[in-house]
Amino acid sequence: MDTQFAVVLLVLIALGPTTGIRLDGNGYTDIVVAINPAVPENEALINQIKEMITSASKYLFQALDNMVFYKEVKILVPPNWRGRYERARRETYDKANIIIDYPHPLYGDEPYTKQTKHCGEEGEHVHFTPNFLLKDHLISAYGPRARVFVHEWAHLRWGVYDEYNEKEPFYIANKQILPTSCTSEITGQWYELINGEYLHCRYDETGLPSKECNFFPDKDQPTSASIMYLQNLDYAKTFCHEGEHNSEAPNMQNQKCNYKATRTVIFQDSVDSESLQTLTPLQSPPPPPIFRVIQRKNRVICLILDVSESMQGEKILRLQQATTLFLSQIIENGAYVGIVSTNADILSPLTKIEGKGSRDGLISKLPQTVSGSTSMCKGLRVSIEVLHQDDEGTVGDDVIFLTDAKDTDIDQACLESALNSGIILNTIAVGHEASDVLRTMASQTDGKFIIVDHNLLSNQLVDAFFSFTTSDGDPTKQTVQLVSTGKISTDWFNGTVPIDCTVGNSTTFTIIYEKNPPTVNIETPSGSVYGQSHITHNAAMKTIVLNVPGTAEDGDWKYSFFNREPTAQTIILIVTSRAKHDDVPPITVKTGIKNSTSNISGLISVFSEISQNYIPLLGAKVLATLQSDTGHPETLHLLDNGAGADVFKDDGIYSRYFTKLRTGLYNLKVEMIQQDGAIQLSSHKPSGAQYVPGYIVNGELQLNPPKPPLSFQATEMGNITRTAMGESFVVSVPSDETPQNFPPSKITDLTVEIQEDTVTLKWTAPGEDYDQGTAKSYEIRWSHSLENLQNNFSNANPVNTSALQPQEAGSAEQYSFLLEFIIQNGSTFFFGIQSEDEMAMKSEVSNIAHITHFVPSTKSSNVSYTSLKHAALLVSGCVAVMVACLIAVYIWALRRKKDSRDLLNSKYIGICPEVLEVKIAHIESEGQ
């Protein structure tokens, strides 16, 4: 956001993990590579990871002016591998920078990087497959593994994007057809696959190549850039800089990074930009990276439960209800759990979860009474003692600390003891007056901090415990929260719960009531009924549970609860389930805010990711509720439309800006509903190394092994619901400032079409405040120059928009108009939009949409010297003298009895030979 709009200083602390990649001097450390539990133990895989990164370090060092290299890397192997490995500290699969997993359902063995944020911001992770690392047949198409690693590293660390575009492999610039690349010095030839054979590209009646036309680069190139275009060629040794950058190329780097060169983003806009501007290049090659192979075994957790007098009444009851659900349904089999109190009592030693008996045994040890005051430090020390019981170590073990303590006895020594123990300390603050030290402890140990209200209707304490599901990369072990809902009921509380085809095992309906048990009636999709005789009732905890036997039936389950009380009471329903099959991951939801811990901004970007085994779920309705300690809940309808806060359309990540800012602590809960849902093929393709089908070697086309065909089929899921709770965060707005006003968000998906003399623009509507509300007006301008529109928008040619009324944010906009002159054939136009709100605050200028307009020839089948000249003029801008030269070359070739197609190898005439080839084909077919 421009500084002129930063009226209010917003200090946002995203209370999440503090680990991550660090640039220590010239060397990168704390890089975590995690191997998925589904991958079999294989020492060769570890060796290939080491070899790839060691070679990549040398390549990176050269590419970035001898300034940076990979210094220290951790390889996290699965818990089921039996070798002897160092114990992981706080590294987990879900926080890894690079993951090694089986082929992506949509992209196979193709390396890619998951990017969910804006240009210059770090990505989520890089995805490699065992096949890519172990089988050499992929090297010819993607390039040496070290080069691919650096390509993906640039996505991951510096937030840059690809310089190629598979959907638009060419573009028009200065009336020449160029490959979508960086730089423009790239040389090669154009081919398309016709009836199973690669032939020179066909051209339509406008003189443009067909959509199937692809560029095949020369194996030897006259330039050293660029790694983000073709990292697989030996020539690619640097990142594209401004002096050679193709700002008009329709690639993601231009679209997402405001037409900046890759190197510019790395040195000016990335997380490392300040360091890179001050680092001194090393005078000698760096040492190879140091590798540590680490492992996390089964989870070990200790619950610290506050039993002080301040927890009496509803609070201790909510504690019992929430921890009972955690122990009975959420924690996975094989984990170890211990329980201590803030009175320093060991309520239960470490107990292995092996079935219902061990779960019930732990539940029976939960505290029933309260007494005394809270001693957080004593509770911490005793929990560390308990965690030592499994193997005399605590490194990497989890603590979940639940308390409402306002004051704390934690001193520096106590905090340092917790930090040095290596535990991951997760904290749940009951009530908004809990001590700030809970946030600090969670942040400094890579734990989670969640603040909850103990009010039954909010159900926040129960929801909070679902944030502590296993994170080892195997979602089939996780308990999935389908529904968390409630009602203040005077009579009936009715509804439906869809159980989709990805879940069904260990399905449980849990009803929590306020006063007296309601009558329970739950009906399956086929009409079977579960009633009072099928439930388990715990009167002390005011809880009713139905454990559905076997695998729950797919479809909509109906529930009816009747309040037999003469007065209204609160009734809560929680429905959980697990994967139906061990080899079919369930649909999962992850939610949070995209802001980093160091971010100081007037914006909070809320997101929710919905997917099944990397495949996004599209078309869902996602509602996020942000509840502050000041009692101001805000509900946002999150969208996956590639506009506003949402970076990419149809990537399964639904986003929205939160602009109604008030000082306070916030928690976040999302609910997802999908009617007749389906896992579909997404139009979004993540950033990744380019697959090259072949190269030009000594003038001949040399093909790589074909890319495996896509075998994905859309899967009908039926109705789907999910609920998830994110980590809590803090907003601090100076009290002496007026409420913040925000401009409309930047339009990022502007497109243009020209039919005859009519121009049609399409885009997604921004809002009054970023992507909220409705903007007041649009300003549309155009130019024949991209640079003019970017740098001098207000002086570009205006379009009359008096009849254009903005729609609500997120709506599809379309506007057609006539330019006030006859559009000349072969003309290139650039268009941009700026929106304005009621406070006269303007958005940034949109992405620039450009088009070159061609008029179809009326004599395309009757080729003559005139039509040949016309085609050459349209496509390559050749003058009459060049046309005459081309014909002379053609006649010369005929006299030499050479095949007319040899002309296509004449590189000095650029694109002309390929246009000429089409015309020659017509001439030859007519015997002229």
Side-chain angles (χ1 to χ4, degrees), residues 47 82 184 334 389 497 506 556 589 648 651 669 689 722-723:
N47 292 334
R82 296 184 178 182
S184 59
Q389 293 174 355
V497 178
S506 303
D556 291 344
V589 175
F648 291 105
D651 63 348
K669 179 178 178 179
R722 294 290 188 272
T723 296

Side-chain angles (χ1 to χ4, degrees), residues 279-458:
L279 280 179
T280 301
L282 299 179
Q283 298 303 309
S284 59
I290 298 171
F291 293 94
R292 294 170 52 204
V293 184
I294 58 178
Q295 184 182 45
R296 297 183 67 85
K297 291 293 188 179
N298 290 341
R299 274 212 299 175
V300 181
I301 301 176
C302 187
L303 302 178
I304 306 177
L305 304 179
D306 192 344
V307 294
S308 64
E309 291 181 354
S310 62
M311 289 289 292
Q312 66 183 344
E314 282 194 15
K315 289 183 181 179
I316 192 66
L317 179 58
R318 299 289 169 264
L319 179 151
Q320 294 166 350
Q321 293 164 342
T323 51
T324 295
L325 192 142
F326 175 74
L327 294 170
S328 63
Q329 300 176 32
I330 299 175
I331 188 67
E332 70 277 8
N333 282 329
Y336 290 83
V337 179
I339 306 173
V340 304
S341 74
T342 50
N343 287 342
D345 294 325
I346 299 177
L347 303 179
S348 174
L350 282 183
T351 301
K352 187 175 183 179
I353 303 294
E354 296 181 296
K356 189 175 185 303
S358 55
R359 294 176 186 272
D360 290 345
L362 285 164
I363 292 170
S364 68
K365 302 294 180 61
L366 291 173
Q368 305 297 315
T369 59
V370 298
S371 63
S373 59
T374 303
S375 177
M376 296 174 67
C377 199
K378 288 181 180 178
L380 267 176
R381 287 173 177 157
V382 174
S383 71
I384 292 174
E385 291 178 18
V386 170
L387 291 173
H388 273 284
Q389 293 174 355
D390 64 332
D391 59 0
E392 302 300 322
T394 60
V395 172
D397 290 344
D398 278 282
V399 169
I400 300 176
F401 199 150
L402 188 156
T403 179
D404 71 341
K406 302 177 184 178
D407 302 315
T408 174
D409 61 344
I410 291 186
D411 53 22
Q412 188 65 28
C414 184
L415 183 58
E416 287 182 0
S417 175
L419 293 174
N420 294 334
S421 70
I423 62 172
I424 299 172
L425 184 52
N426 307 282
T427 56
I428 301 177
V430 182
H432 299 283
E433 296 181 353
S435 172
D436 287 346
V437 76
L438 296 173
R439 302 199 309 275
T440 303
M441 291 190 301
S443 177
Q444 294 189 10
T445 62
D446 301 332
K448 296 178 180 179
F449 168 73
I450 300 177
I451 188 167
V452 298
D453 190 331
H454 67 272
N455 178 275
L456 175 59
L457 186 61
S458 72

Side-chain angles (χ1 to χ4, degrees), residues 479-508:
T479 297
V480 179
Q481 190 177 20
L482 305 183
V483 166
S484 174
T485 186
K487 180 182 179 181
I488 300 176
S489 175
T490 56
D491 44 32
W492 288 100
F493 177 16
N494 302 320
T496 59
V497 178
I499 296 182
D500 60 88
C501 64
T502 68
V503 294
N505 283 330
S506 303
T507 302
T508 303

